[in-house]
Amino acid sequence: MKRPLLAATASLALFAGAVQAQTLVATSNIIVRALDRTIDFTSDTTTSIRDMKVVIEARDDAASFVASEGDIRGAQLEAAFGALRSQVPEAQNASDQVLAEAILAQ
């Protein structure tokens, strides 16, 4: 009797973990696509985000942030978060993890 219950509990835990991972991936994809749209739009009119010095300089900090699961937060990354949130409406409510991944995707 305990084995089926244990198996069901383990299956439910694995399913919940997979759903959370898919949610993070989906959110990351939304932000990256939003940044790409913004980059495409702004490249014609103003300096693109891809060319923003603060975002370029934050790539190493973003890599450390992602690798440490948010434990390492560099000053350049914090500056990039602020710049992205002020210039990209879709980034205003995004988590720091999603923005760090978007910076790395550029």
Side-chain angles (χ1 to χ4, degrees):
M1 179 70 178
K2 289 188 179 191
R3 281 189 182 225
L5 182 58
L6 182 61
T9 303
S11 296
L12 183 60
L14 289 173
F15 176 73
V19 168
Q20 287 178 334
Q22 289 176 346
T23 301
L24 177 62
V25 169
T27 304
S28 297
N29 288 340
I30 289 168
I31 297 298
V32 168
R33 283 193 300 271
L35 287 174
D36 283 343
R37 283 194 306 269
T38 303
I39 288 168
D40 291 341
F41 173 75
T42 58
S43 64
D44 294 336
T45 57
T46 62
T47 303
S48 80
I49 292 172
R50 198 178 325 217
D51 295 333
M52 289 175 57
K53 186 176 180 179
V54 69
V55 173
I56 293 168
E57 291 175 349
R59 287 184 56 88
D60 288 341
D61 281 0
S64 296
F65 181 86
V66 170
S68 70
E69 297 179 356
D71 289 337
I72 300 173
R73 302 178 71 91
Q76 292 173 330
L77 182 61
E78 293 295 334
F81 287 162
L84 288 172
R85 286 189 172 115
S86 69
Q87 296 182 20
V88 181
E90 292 88 350
Q92 290 176 356
N93 296 322
S95 71
D96 291 348
Q97 180 73 26
V98 170
L99 289 180
E101 290 172 3
I103 290 169
L104 290 174
Q106 295 301 315

